[in-house]
Amino acid sequence: QVELVESGGGVVQPGRSLRLSCAASGFTFSNNPMHWVRQAPGKGLEWVAFISSDGSDKNYADSVKGRFTISRDNSENTLDLQMNSLRTEDTAVYYCARALLRGAHYFDYWGQGTLVTVSS
Amino acid sequence: DIVMTQSPDSLAVSLGERATINCKSSQSVLYSSNNKNYFAWYQQKPGQPPKVLIYWASTRESGVPDRFSGSGSGTDFTLTISSLQAEDVAVYYCQQYYSTPLTFGGGTKVEIK
């Protein structure tokens, strides 16, 4: 069965960096676009970033553009999110999510999420 | 950016009664070339990730009970729970995938009256 497992969350000071990873299994990872979606404590869902199935196309929310970088390794079935210059407003649970296919970016599988807390 | 506005923010419904949630997009999410609405509904229970219920505005995800249905087109959409069950207590979100940035509604909390 499809499984997405995030890791790398934790407590970090403002201005510092953190790298999140998502390990995928149970499907052909290289076939699907992947996304990061976050949820601040007690708040709604916010899309963060997208990467195409082959990694050639990427897109970011304005709130993270220039600070976050999404990447994937199709040989290792992993999705990453490099987060630099972190701000307190980046505090959230970060989910990796699978999009079913190109052009249909709704999320049919989600990981359990990893909590990132940006605080001094 | 396409803004998604859900209503109401919360609602309390008696067991077995109908629950209706609305979502309005600031621009049409209907793609004319294939006549598909790039629109989905999710359910999120406490401590869990969201789960897709409906995509293409009205297609029920496999395994989702048929008491959940989606309707609407263009800019106005509705999620209906025909007979509320205790396990349906959750927050429900709409999402458009017509264009980036992908955007979600603010959520509707459904409780038992």
Side-chain angles (χ1 to χ4, degrees), chain B residues 7-68:
Chain B
S7 62
D9 293 337
S10 64
L11 76 161
V13 176
S14 299
L15 288 172
E17 296 300 304
R18 179 184 300 259
T20 301
I21 300 168
N22 299 299
C23 182
K24 187 175 183 68
S25 58
S26 61
Q27 64 189 75
S28 177
V29 298
L30 175 64
Y31 196 40
S32 56
S33 65
N34 59 9
N35 201 38
K36 285 181 176 289
N37 287 284
Y38 283 59
F39 182 91
W41 287 103
Y42 297 86
Q43 175 193 66
Q44 186 178 32
K45 297 181 179 179
Q48 296 184 19
K51 169 189 170 184
V52 66
L53 299 174
I54 303 286
Y55 55 94
W56 300 129
S58 61
T59 301
R60 195 179 304 115
E61 173 75 333
S62 175
V64 172
D66 61 6
R67 63 180 179 273
F68 292 92

Side-chain angles (χ1 to χ4, degrees), chain B residues 10 21 32 47 68 73-75 88 91 96 107:
Chain B
S10 64
I21 300 168
S32 56
F68 292 92
S73 184
T75 61
D88 301 335
V91 179
Q96 65 80 19

Side-chain angles (χ1 to χ4, degrees), chain A residues 2-98:
Chain A
V2 173
E3 192 170 19
L4 300 171
V5 179
E6 301 93 340
S7 61
V11 180
V12 62
Q13 292 179 327
R16 304 298 289 262
S17 300
L18 205 60
R19 189 176 185 90
L20 306 183
S21 291
C22 172
S25 60
F27 66 105
T28 304
F29 181 68
S30 59
N31 285 350
N32 292 81
M34 296 294 295
H35 295 254
W36 288 97
V37 177
R38 69 184 181 183
Q39 186 169 36
K43 302 298 185 182
L45 301 167
E46 179 188 16
W47 171 77
V48 173
F50 148 81
I51 188 167
S52 60
S53 57
D54 65 358
S56 62
D57 190 19
K58 305 175 184 181
N59 209 327
Y60 300 91
D62 283 348
S63 58
V64 307
K65 199 171 294 182
R67 300 188 299 122
F68 290 12
T69 302
I70 190 171
S71 61
R72 65 190 297 162
D73 185 334
N74 285 345
S75 66
E76 296 288 334
N77 294 346
T78 57
L79 173 73
D80 288 340
L81 186 68
Q82 176 66 42
M83 305 186 296
N84 298 331
S85 303
L86 282 161
R87 305 168 180 168
T88 54
E89 55 264 36
D90 295 320
T91 294
V93 173
Y94 284 74
Y95 297 102
C96 66
R98 187 183 89 161

Side-chain angles (χ1 to χ4, degrees), chain B residues 86-104:
Chain B
E87 61 265 32
D88 301 335
V89 169
V91 179
Y92 294 82
Y93 294 94
C94 58
Q95 181 224 341
Q96 65 80 19
Y97 47 99
Y98 182 88
S99 65
T100 55
L102 308 181
T103 49
F104 293 88

